[in-house]
Amino acid sequence: MAYAITQTCCTDASCIAVCPVNCIHPAPGEPDFGTTDVLYVDPRTCIDCGACADACPVDAVKPADTLTGPDAVYAERGARYYADRDPNPAWTEPRIPRSLPPGTPAPRVAIVGTGPAACYTAQELLRCADAEVTMIDRLPVAGGLVRFGVAPDHVGTRGIGESFAALLRHPRVRTHLGVEVGTDVTHADLVRHHHAVVYAVGAAAPRPLGVPGADLPGSLPATRFVAWYNDHPEAPANLVDLTGVRRAVVVGNGNVALDVARLLAVDPDSLAGTGIAAHALDALRAGGPREVVVLGRRGPGQAAYTWPELHALKHLPGVRLVVADSPETRAALARADPADPTDHAALLHDVPIEPVDFGSAPPPGRRIVLSFSCAPVEVRGLGRVSSVRTTTGDIDAQLLVSAIGYRGTPLPDLPFDEATGTVPHDRGRVEAAPGTYVVGWIKRGPSGGIGANRLCAQETADSLLTDASAGRLPTPPGSARDFRRLVRGGAPRPMAGAR
Ligand SMILES: Cc1cc2nc3c(=O)[nH]c(=O)nc-3n(C[C@H](O)[C@H](O)[C@H](O)COP(=O)(O)OP(=O)(O)OC[C@H]3O[C@@H](n4cnc5c(N)ncnc54)[C@H](O)[C@@H]3O)c2cc1C
Ligand SMILES: NC(=O)c1ccc[n+]([C@@H]2O[C@H](COP(=O)([O-])OP(=O)(O)OC[C@H]3O[C@@H](n4cnc5c(N)ncnc54)[C@H](OP(=O)(O)O)[C@@H]3O)[C@@H](O)[C@H]2O)c1
Ligand code: SF4
Ligand code: SF4
């Protein structure tokens, strides 16, 4: 019996490199890689060796015959993916990582951030050259969104944090936590002590909702709400008051919106023992909503969530998933073709479509309502949210979470593109600042799962090593020891976790 790849796959392609028979696809360089939600094992050629399961950092690969309940469908999807494909596809060109010519001095590289983009970049530099890496993060805990973004009930996905934590213990890595670049140290400080500086600072700001009332108590962006349930050091325990919340509205149709909806709707007892913050669990137990309404401003065919996350929502224990009836939604769903894997609306073919009375208290039981072609126009309430006016009518709700995407913010001394919220670059190289590079969400914008940062990091590391080989990296006057002294002397905050 073959292996199969399940929900937590973050498409980082680690399994492809270890498969002895080339039966995991799409691989980097193949057409669907970069758009597929998960990778697939070809059951016709898999020899059941288990190497992929050992290599997977998020525990996504399982023997197909052990998959039960909602997970059983992953084996079927794998078989369907290969139904019309060649059982012996050509091997993709192996990637030969760039290395430095003999005699080139090993570069000393500062990486700002400790999220996935930073860690994949460090891995690449350590593997390809004798680089010394200084990792710096403004937070006292490493991991970026793997620690403070990924939902606490995505236990397998959070497991990737362990492999990143091991990287921070590498003998050629020094880590400074609780040090903010731009406040505690400057870009010039980094340049003075390193051959190259890589910014992997992510995109932590919320996209503004921009409707009247969006700042009322009881209305907040997902950036804050997610930080609250993940115990982010800057999100106070009392940030979210769920007292009296019967119905919550979540704006947006991406995976973050589904994370927020799921955590609000599920029986809080099922979250005990996950990494959820104790204060969030207490608040959910004391007064979480019975109904969560997820608003998509476009139709079901244009939703940004991925199939595995929607599939999980359909099977959430104790929670009914329904689609709010409307003529547009009914028409879009009627047109959907369940046989077409690219038809996003078809993902809802087995979800009931029902009229919903948004003006009355929610019915007994827990439910999530997907309401399409519906956008907020105003958030209303006296002193706190009591209703949301939308393009299709009013919704009686006591909490609004706006999950409409993240946004990068400008970095001192670097160029910035206001339209995309990213730093302009060429293959990761910031041309306006020689020796400076970007990677991850601050380079590409705030989309893509954890694994997408791996290819992105390979590209940035390649550019950096190309510049090192060509002698284009400036020689820093300061040493690594000088930099450590500077950080110890200059950083006003405790150096929790610094080595
Ligand atoms: C809520 C949420 C849930 C997600 N869940 C999943 C999931 O389940 N599966 C999946 O595959 N993907 C998931 N993703 C996507 C994934 O988290 C991102 O692809 C990834 O984290 C982006 O990596 P990054 O390194 O660019 O940014 P980040 O992970 O944000 O890391 C940036 C780091 O830089 C640090 N930093 C910022 N500014 C400074 C500064 N000035 N000085 C020093 N340090 C600084 C930050 O503290 C942070 O540690 C999720 C994203 C979100 C928002
Ligand atoms: N695998 C996982 O479990 C997981 C979990 C969380 C996040 N992630 C990944 O992290 C990335 C970021 O996720 P995300 O959900 O923040 O972003 P996203 O995927 O870009 O989704 C943003 C959503 O907000 C909507 N939106 C934007 N502006 C709006 C406005 N003004 N009013 C109403 N709706 C608006 C968008 O609709 P339009 O399409 O109409 O613009 C879209 O539906 C994604 O790649 C995601 O897959 C993965
Ligand atoms: S079990 Fe072995 S043969 Fe099968 S997909 Fe995994 S690595 Fe490839
Ligand atoms: S997370 Fe990576 S290693 Fe695991 S199945 Fe997906 S692509 Fe393969």
Side-chain angles (χ1 to χ4, degrees), residues 139-366:
L139 294 178
V141 179
L145 286 170
V146 167
R147 170 61 189 82
F148 294 114
V150 171
D153 58 342
H154 280 174
V155 177
T157 307
R158 280 189 164 211
I160 202 169
E162 285 158 30
S163 59
F164 292 153
L167 173 90
L168 301 189
R169 295 192 294 272
H170 189 284
R172 281 187 278 124
V173 174
R174 290 209 168 252
T175 309
H176 301 289
L177 300 177
V179 176
E180 181 160 329
V181 175
T183 308
D184 303 323
V185 293
T186 64
H187 176 65
D189 291 332
L190 299 180
V191 170
R192 222 174 9 254
H193 297 89
H194 298 87
H195 295 92
V197 181
V198 182
Y199 283 92
V201 292
R207 273 192 205 140
L209 187 58
V211 301
D215 295 333
L216 270 176
S219 165
L220 75 170
T223 48
R224 303 276 287 149
F225 190 75
V226 167
W228 174 73
Y229 65 59
N230 274 330
D231 222 355
H232 190 292
E234 290 161 2
N238 63 358
L239 177 70
V240 179
D241 181 4
L242 294 177
T243 319
V245 175
R246 297 178 304 276
R247 180 184 282 124
V249 167
V250 179
V251 186
N253 254 189
N255 278 341
V256 173
L258 297 200
D259 276 354
V260 170
R262 190 179 69 251
L263 285 164
L264 279 168
V266 77
D267 178 353
D269 286 341
S270 71
L271 297 171
T274 68
I276 191 168
H279 56 247
L281 187 58
D282 290 346
L284 286 164
R285 278 182 166 143
R290 284 210 306 277
E291 180 169 290
V292 183
V293 184
V294 180
L295 302 187
R297 64 176 169 180
R298 296 193 283 159
Q302 288 76 42
Y305 50 67
T306 55
W307 176 84
E309 297 312 309
L310 182 71
H311 180 68
L313 216 57
K314 289 180 191 174
H315 297 276
L316 201 56
V319 179
R320 283 191 76 227
L321 179 69
V322 303
V323 172
D325 200 355
S326 79
E328 284 122 305
T329 305
R330 198 166 268 279
L333 294 179
R335 281 194 305 271
D337 175 6
D340 177 358
T342 64
D343 189 337
H344 219 61
L347 301 181
L348 294 169
H349 72 95
D350 51 354
V351 178
I353 175 161
E354 295 178 1
V356 177
D357 180 0
F358 289 121
S360 308
R366 296 169 176 275

Side-chain angles (χ1 to χ4, degrees), residues 411-439:
L411 288 157
D413 305 317
L414 292 197
F416 190 70
D417 179 347
E418 281 293 342
T420 58
T422 58
V423 173
H425 67 94
D426 175 26
R427 298 179 60 80
R429 189 185 282 116
V430 182
E431 291 182 306
T436 304
Y437 303 82
V438 283
V439 67

Side-chain angles (χ1 to χ4, degrees), residues 3 15 18-21 23-24 41 45-53 61:
Y3 276 64
C15 49
V18 299
C19 178
V21 293
C23 72
I24 305 175
V41 171
T45 38
C46 173
I47 56 166
D48 226 1
C49 69
C52 51
V61 198

